[in-house]
């Protein structure tokens, strides 16, 4: 769970046309790019502990799903980076901060769907 001063983002790459190995490679490359950003405090692939419905796992990690944690001040920079880096690729973001969650689906810079999740 994100601390009160940080925002935790779970990023799910949604490219059904990609082979599992290509999706894993894309997720690993994105994690490395996020780790190289000064604004990002943590970036990792999501380990398989609980497989959400519809998810696939490869090598102990959920396929195409990663997490990043940033300060509230750097959240906008990270979202800008993701928009530039992922362009028109479909993604799902789950943003968690201060005990609240927001889930967003997008396939371009225009957000296509969002849902506020209940405080857990």
């Amino acid at each position: 769970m994100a601390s009160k001063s940080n925002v935790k983002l779970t990023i799910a790459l949604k490219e059904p046309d990609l082979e599992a190995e290509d999706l894993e490679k894309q997720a690993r490359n994105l994690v490395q790019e996020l780790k190289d950003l000064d604004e990002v405090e943590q970036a990792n692939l999501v380990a398989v502990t609980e497989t959400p419905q519809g998810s696939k796992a490869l090598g102990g990690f959920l396929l195409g799903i990663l997490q990043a944690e940033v300060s509230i001040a750097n959240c906008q920079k990270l979202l800008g980076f993701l928009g530039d880096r992922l362009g028109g690729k479909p993604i799902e973001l789950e943003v968690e901060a201060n005990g609240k969650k927001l889930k967003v689906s997008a396939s371009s810079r225009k957000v296509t769907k969002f849902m506020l999740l209940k405080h857990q």
Side-chain angles (χ1 to χ4, degrees):
M1 179 168 212
S3 71
K4 291 248 183 226
S5 60
N6 285 341
V7 177
K8 180 177 173 183
L9 292 97
T10 302
I11 305 155
L13 306 176
K14 299 290 184 181
E15 294 193 60
D17 296 337
L18 282 183
E19 296 290 326
E21 293 80 15
D22 293 331
L23 189 57
E24 178 191 18
K25 182 178 178 182
Q26 188 177 55
R28 287 185 184 278
N29 288 342
L30 185 56
V31 165
Q32 190 56 51
E33 289 177 25
L34 292 174
K35 286 181 176 182
D36 291 342
L37 294 175
D38 292 335
E39 295 85 7
V40 176
E41 307 214 3
Q42 288 185 37
N44 298 298
L45 295 173
V46 176
V48 175
T49 53
E50 240 180 80
T51 307
Q53 184 177 2
S55 295
K56 296 179 183 177
L58 182 68
F61 297 99
L62 292 177
L63 192 57
I65 301 177
L66 54 127
Q67 289 182 327
E69 191 168 327
V70 296
S71 68
I72 290 174
N74 288 325
C75 188
Q76 187 66 31
K77 290 178 186 176
L78 175 59
L79 292 174
F81 169 81
L82 291 173
D84 292 342
R85 172 66 173 77
L86 298 175
K89 296 178 182 178
I91 62 169
E92 287 183 3
L93 289 175
E94 185 172 297
V95 182
E96 181 179 355
N98 298 325
K100 305 249 186 214
K101 289 183 182 181
L102 176 69
K103 188 170 184 174
V104 180
S105 296
S107 58
S108 68
R109 288 193 178 270
K110 181 179 175 186
V111 175
T112 57
K113 170 175 79 170
F114 71 92
M115 176 175 53
L116 184 60
L117 303 176
K118 290 184 178 179
H119 172 69
Q120 306 223 4

